[in-house]
């Protein structure tokens, strides 16, 4: 006899909410997902989504009978007990998180004693306690998400840990949430709400710090003639450090790292504590993108009138997300230098075109390289490793490549006729700064 799974409510069907809804449906739960945008709900009800996430469309199609999309909160309240809150919390001009969408959900739950809110949205520490004061009758728990764009489904289905925060009186909510995740495995971290909120912010800011650190090391490597790829490999073999997030490049982007670093820095400042380390993380990340322009200027001299190709535009591969993408800063800086910028991305091109109206969008990577004085690899899409780089060199006015992700094999590029420069990679024939020839 098959046991019927508990129905799940999801509030907000952006990237996190839609992945959460699809994955719970895949586990056999009836899911009722609500969004305030009628056009989005109508499209999802037809099986259409504009979010690019590998495997998501297939998951939605396979579980269409379990997925119910609506604009009405009442449908969630009539059908479910646990409501997973997955709404946006974008940064404000002050750097604080905008909790407007979260508090709109809170307003709809006032006086409700038969449901529980499970917070997946990333919120400042202390938000849960505030909500619990305002919703004394409603259950509450924090269950932060740790999904990575491009691998969100596998991250959900095979978590390394599941964090559930609940304060006294809400233990039943924590137990109900933990029960949902039992089939998925992973370490369970049961804690209080504020600690759960801090775990999410601290995790993302630590990863951002690790990226900025290796980028600083890369910059020093360029000055002394060391190779950051070798340095990172040697560092990563230490199990206290590990190899992940030690890939030097043009800096981090996306919707999470920058926002969460800013949120934690602002949270600390609001308490009177000056989080100096995070100030440096932000500064390094901003300067790293601009170093590419400096590299181009060193190689080409004046950039006025040059044609430079950006290869890849999304902030990382396997997503069409352009939020805080390095390409946005690079394109703006190059345009400011008088460059004619041309670009190509296999997935994010349509979104990028709206954000970069002055950039010429090419139909392919090779087309983008036609007549270019230089190219910058910005996003490490796997297809770029398979590109016919010898043919690309012949099509360029000058076969110069700045590999902003240290993604390509320098020897293969040089054999194809390219002048190659990575980030913190030793360049054959170069002389470290401060070294006499």
């Amino acid at each position: 006899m098959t046991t019927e799974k508990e129905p799940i409510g999801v509030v907000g069907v952006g990237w996190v909410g839609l992945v959460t809804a699809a994955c719970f449906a895949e586990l056999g739960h009836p899911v009722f997902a609500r969004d305030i945008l009628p056009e989005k709900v109508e499209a999802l009800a037809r099986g259409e989504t504009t979010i690019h996430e590998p495997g998501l469309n297939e998951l939605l199609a396979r579980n269409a009978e379990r997925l119910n999309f609506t604009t009405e909160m009442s449908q969630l309240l009539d059908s479910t007990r646990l409501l997973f809150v997955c709404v946006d919390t974008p940064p404000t001009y002050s750097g604080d998180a905008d909790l407007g969408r979260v508090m709109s959900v809170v307003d709809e739950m006032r006086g409700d004693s038969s449901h529980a809110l499970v917070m997946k949205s990333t919120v400042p520490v202390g938000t849960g306690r505030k909500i619990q004061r305002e919703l004394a009758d409603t259950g509450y728990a924090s269950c932060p998400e740790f999904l990575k764009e491009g691998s969100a489904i596998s991250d959900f289905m095979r978590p390394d840990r599941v964090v559930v925060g609940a304060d006294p009186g809400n233990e039943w909510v924590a137990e109900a949430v933990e029960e949902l995740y039992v089939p998925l495995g992973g370490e369970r971290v049961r804690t209080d709400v504020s600690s759960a909120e801090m775990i999410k912010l601290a995790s993302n800011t630590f990863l951002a710090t690790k990226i900025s650190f290796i980028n600083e090391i890369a910059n020093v490597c360029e000055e002394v003639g060391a190779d950051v790829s070798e340095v990172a490999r040697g560092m990563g073999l230490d199990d206290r450090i590990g190899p992940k997030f030690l890939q030097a490049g043009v800096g981090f982007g996306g919707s999470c790292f920058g926002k969460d670093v800013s949120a934690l820095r602002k949270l600390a400042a609001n308490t009177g504590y000056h989080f100096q380390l995070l100030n440096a993380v932000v500064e390094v990340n901003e300067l790293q993108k601009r170093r590419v322009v400096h590299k181009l200027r060193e190689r080409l001299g004046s950039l006025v009138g040059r044609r430079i190709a950006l290869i890849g535009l999304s902030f990382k591969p396997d997503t069409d997300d352009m939020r805080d993408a390095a390409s946005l800063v690079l394109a703006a800086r190059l345009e400011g230098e008088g460059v004619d910028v041309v670009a190509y991305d296999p997935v994010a091109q349509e979104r990028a075109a709206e954000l970069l109206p002055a950039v010429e969008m090419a139909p392919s990577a090779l087309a983008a390289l036609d007549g270019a004085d230089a190219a910058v690899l910005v996003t490490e899409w796997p297809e770029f490793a398979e590109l016919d780089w010898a043919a690309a060199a012949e099509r360029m006015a000058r076969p110069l490549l700045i590999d902003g992700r240290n993604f390509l094999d320098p020897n293969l590029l040089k054999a194809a006729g390219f002048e190659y420069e990575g980030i913190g990679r030793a360049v054959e024939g170069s002389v470290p700064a401060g070294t006499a020839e």
Side-chain angles (χ1 to χ4, degrees), residues 39-69:
E39 60 272 21
K40 181 188 291 187
V41 169
E42 291 167 5
L44 289 169
R46 294 192 301 267
E48 302 171 4
T49 175
T50 58
I51 297 174
H52 180 84
E53 179 64 38
L56 180 58
N57 286 338
E58 294 82 356
L59 212 60
L60 292 171
R62 188 161 62 243
N63 295 284
E65 292 184 358
R66 295 194 187 100
L67 289 161
N68 306 274
F69 297 101

Side-chain angles (χ1 to χ4, degrees), residues 317-390:
D318 287 324
T319 180
D320 59 353
D321 197 341
M322 288 293 298
R323 288 175 289 184
D324 203 22
S327 60
L328 299 176
V329 175
L330 287 172
R333 287 298 311 123
L334 290 171
E335 288 169 6
E337 296 276 342
V339 170
D340 294 326
V341 182
V342 58
Y344 169 75
D345 189 282
V347 171
Q349 193 131 310
E350 185 176 344
R351 292 180 185 270
E354 298 174 359
L355 300 170
L356 300 169
V359 173
E360 176 188 339
M361 295 295 167
S364 69
L366 285 176
L369 295 167
D370 269 336
D373 295 295
V376 181
L377 190 142
V378 185
T379 312
E380 63 274 36
W381 284 97
E383 68 179 64
F384 296 151
E386 306 301 322
L387 191 69
D388 187 341
W389 287 101

Side-chain angles (χ1 to χ4, degrees), residues 181-194:
Y181 284 91
V182 166
L184 305 179
E187 186 80 16
R188 297 288 182 274
V189 180
R190 173 80 77 88
T191 185
D192 60 277
V193 167
S194 292

